Amino acid sequence: MRSATRTVCVLILLFIILAPLTTGPWHNVEAQSESPPLPDIQRYRIETANNVTTQQLTTDIAVTIDHIGPDYIDILAASSERDALLAQGFDIQLSPRPLIFSQVDQTYQTYDEMVANIQQVAQTYPAIVQLSSIGTSYEGRPLWMAKISDNVTTDEAEPEALFIGQYHAREILTVEMMLYLLDMFTREYDPTTPDNEITQLVNTREIYLLFSVNPDGGVHDIASGIYQYWRKNRQPNEGFGCIGTDPNRNHSYRWGGTGASVSPCDNTYRGTGPASTPEITAVQNFVNSRMVSGRQQIEVAISFHTYGELILWPYGYQSGTACGTPITDMPADDLAVLQTMGEAMAATNGYTPQQSCKLYTTSGDFVDWAYGAHRIFAYTFEMHPCFTTGCPGYGFYPPGSVIATETARNRKAILYLLQQADCPYATIDKPDRCNASSADDEWQLWLPIIQKA
Ligand SMILES: [Zn+2]
């Protein structure tokens, strides 16, 4: 008890010291004169001498793994999550590494700066960029999407690809990833050099960039000038004091299984029902709208997250030893395609490739829905930093100095995936499977699931 009181005093002191430094850098955010609330999240340490594993820590309570040391795991947890872990008998202490109250880094773009940026680019490159909003967030912010293609206002018969940033508010590097892609496709496009890879892809693909699924959470995370470690959206939970649903546990496919929380105060709260958030309703409506003549046009997708330096593919919902075993809603060829492309991409960026459930069980995430409902070959990228021994300790808030290298690091993987989008089955030497009229048994088995979407 005494050490908890001392910690609170230290935090208050830290705040008093840092508060004057935290107004200003975000020039689009109104500086608050009132004391911002200190985040409930703290960094805790769990000794791993008695065989505690990350999977144990994330399966039931789904806290955030912050750092894995030689004989300990540091986690980020709210007080309710700490109490739940204590109740389960975990030996949990405040970590000796204090939570870093970073000064906000002005090299990261705020939501307003991001919107101004993408509107400017769309104005500069009207021939290949079409900007739209696929819906609005709970607080009414447009969910901006750029379509990039030649003849951009026409729906051509070209393979489509979807890239998504910021499901989770504090994963700020993912917004920069999306802005990197917008910049790359526009500045490097040159219709006079059709053999240039960027030009070739823009000419033969329809590429969708959904910059931020969770702008409300993102704005909230930095509004006070002190990062809030906020993950969820900002939709209130009726009858509860805590706010937010985890958008990446709110998708409709097998929503409500293990790997998501039923408690509105938890960081992985799944919501009141499938697609109960306006943000996920918008994402699903958009993807559903890309069904043309009974065929989903989007072939490949990446949902960007931080952190861990991982490439993950469906399914996440399989749990424990079932993870990776044959399953009726994924033909073996599809798992082979997901693994082949995942490993090929990892060879270009040094991430670790694995099936999503190998990390931990999740239900209701984007890749499970995109594949399960639409048979899109969808990946979660967990970007920089890594999270094992020797990795940088800044977690969700890397310094702005890493933005350029850590976004460009994924360039080759993304170009590779776009190249495969015209026939992903070619990667396992079965190009005839790309024909939707195939009478193959496995494909027939699959059809009702596609139509259900
Ligand atoms: Zn995430």
Side-chain angles (χ1 to χ4, degrees):
M1 212 44 209
R2 207 180 299 151
S3 81
T5 312
R6 195 162 53 222
T7 306
V8 169
C9 292
V10 169
L11 292 180
I12 291 170
L13 188 65
L14 255 178
F15 172 69
I16 291 168
I17 294 165
L18 290 176
L21 305 174
T22 55
T23 54
W26 294 105
H27 38 271
N28 284 321
V29 177
E30 201 179 325
Q32 294 192 347
S33 53
E34 297 294 313
S35 301
L38 293 174
D40 182 45
I41 302 268
Q42 287 293 343
R43 181 181 280 126
Y44 296 98
R45 177 159 295 184
I46 296 174
E47 304 297 328
T48 49
N50 47 355
N51 297 321
V52 175
T53 64
T54 54
Q55 189 146 31
Q56 273 175 290
L57 287 172
T58 50
T59 300
D60 297 332
I61 301 181
V63 296
T64 300
I65 304 293
D66 181 61
H67 185 78
I68 300 174
D71 52 6
Y72 63 86
I73 299 173
D74 279 349
I75 62 168
L76 300 175
S79 51
S80 61
E81 293 165 332
R82 174 204 57 204
D83 293 345
L85 287 168
L86 282 170
Q88 288 199 2
F90 284 102
D91 178 11
I92 175 169
Q93 323 261 352
L94 268 179
S95 168
R97 297 192 310 136
L99 193 64
I100 300 164
F101 283 10
S102 309
Q103 256 189 284
V104 284
D105 189 331
Q106 62 183 330
T107 50
Y108 285 92
Q109 297 196 23
T110 64
Y111 177 76
D112 289 342
E113 288 168 335
M114 177 198 84
V115 173
N117 181 344
I118 59 184
Q119 286 177 337
Q120 177 65 50
V121 174
Q123 255 176 27
T124 309
Y125 300 94
I128 56 166
V129 179
Q130 186 180 42
L131 199 57
S132 64
S133 163
I134 62 162
T136 50
S137 66
Y138 176 79
E139 292 178 347
R141 293 183 177 86
L143 303 173
W144 290 108
M145 169 174 280
K147 177 187 173 187
I148 299 176
S149 192
D150 66 338
N151 307 315
V152 69
T153 56
T154 309
D155 185 9
E156 297 184 296
E158 294 172 340
E160 302 181 10
L162 172 63
F163 300 97
I164 309 181
Q166 204 173 32
Y167 262 83
H168 295 136
R170 62 195 173 192
E171 300 173 9
I172 57 177
L173 194 54
T174 67
V175 176
E176 302 299 325
M177 185 71 236
M178 300 304 299
L179 294 170
Y180 169 88
L181 291 180
L182 179 68
D183 180 69
M184 176 185 81
F185 287 123
T186 51
R187 272 200 308 117
E188 297 184 34
Y189 180 76
D190 178 2
T192 65
T193 57
D195 291 341
N196 166 283
E197 187 172 22
I198 298 291
T199 306
Q200 174 246 326
L201 286 170
V202 170
N203 284 343
T204 59
R205 305 284 183 266
E206 292 182 334
I207 300 161
Y208 296 100
L209 307 180
L210 175 54
F211 296 91
S212 170
V213 173
N214 187 5
D216 297 352
V219 168
H220 170 74
D221 194 47
I222 59 170
S224 71
I226 294 175
Y227 288 127
Q228 301 292 302
Y229 282 82
W230 191 258
R231 170 180 169 99
K232 299 189 283 182
N233 77 350
R234 293 293 297 167
Q235 192 171 5
N237 296 307
E238 214 176 312
F240 291 87
C242 26
I243 287 179
T245 294
D246 183 343
N248 211 34
R249 299 292 183 279
N250 191 234
H251 278 284
S252 299
Y253 194 72
R254 293 185 180 261
W255 176 90
T258 53
S261 175
V262 299
S263 166
C265 295
D266 283 356
N267 247 337
T268 58
Y269 176 51
R270 66 192 189 184
T272 54
S276 60
T277 57
E279 295 87 359
I280 295 312
T281 296
V283 172
Q284 294 193 172
N285 284 346
F286 169 72
V287 175
N288 293 342
S289 78
R290 297 315 302 145
M291 290 284 284
V292 177
S293 306
R295 171 106 201 214
Q296 175 56 246
Q297 304 297 298
I298 299 171
E299 297 283 345
V300 294
I302 299 176
S303 167
F304 290 101
H305 292 253
T306 64
Y307 56 99
E309 299 187 358
L310 304 164
I311 294 179
L312 308 173
W313 55 83
Y315 284 113
Y317 80 80
Q318 286 181 286
S319 60
T321 51
C323 180
T325 58
I327 196 162
T328 53
D329 52 356
M330 184 185 288
D333 279 351
D334 286 15
L335 182 58
V337 169
L338 286 164
Q339 180 170 348
T340 301
M341 296 199 300
E343 287 173 354
M345 288 191 286
T348 69
N349 64 7
Y351 288 9
T352 300
Q354 61 186 11
Q355 190 171 339
S356 173
C357 53
K358 293 266 197 256
L359 182 64
Y360 43 73
T361 305
T362 53
S363 60
D365 81 354
F366 169 74
V367 296
D368 274 21
W369 179 80
Y371 178 78
H374 286 282
R375 211 172 183 171
I376 295 167
F377 292 108
Y379 294 87
T380 297
F381 272 35
E382 294 284 355
M383 295 177 65
H384 181 76
C386 50
F387 70 171
T388 49
T389 309
C391 295
Y394 41 62
F396 296 107
Y397 302 112
S401 56
V402 309
I403 293 172
T405 47
E406 293 301 331
T407 52
R409 181 177 177 179
N410 290 323
R411 176 191 176 100
K412 278 187 183 161
I414 289 158
L415 297 183
Y416 166 86
L417 192 64
L418 283 167
Q419 293 291 5
Q420 310 317 314
D422 65 339
C423 183
Y425 292 101
T427 63
I428 58 163
D429 297 324
K430 295 189 176 180
D432 52 328
R433 271 197 160 268
C434 296
N435 177 2
S437 64
S438 163
D440 179 271
D441 287 346
E442 271 191 327
W443 183 271
Q444 293 302 327
L445 184 74
W446 190 259
L447 279 177
I449 298 174
I450 292 184
Q451 286 160 352
K452 213 166 57 182

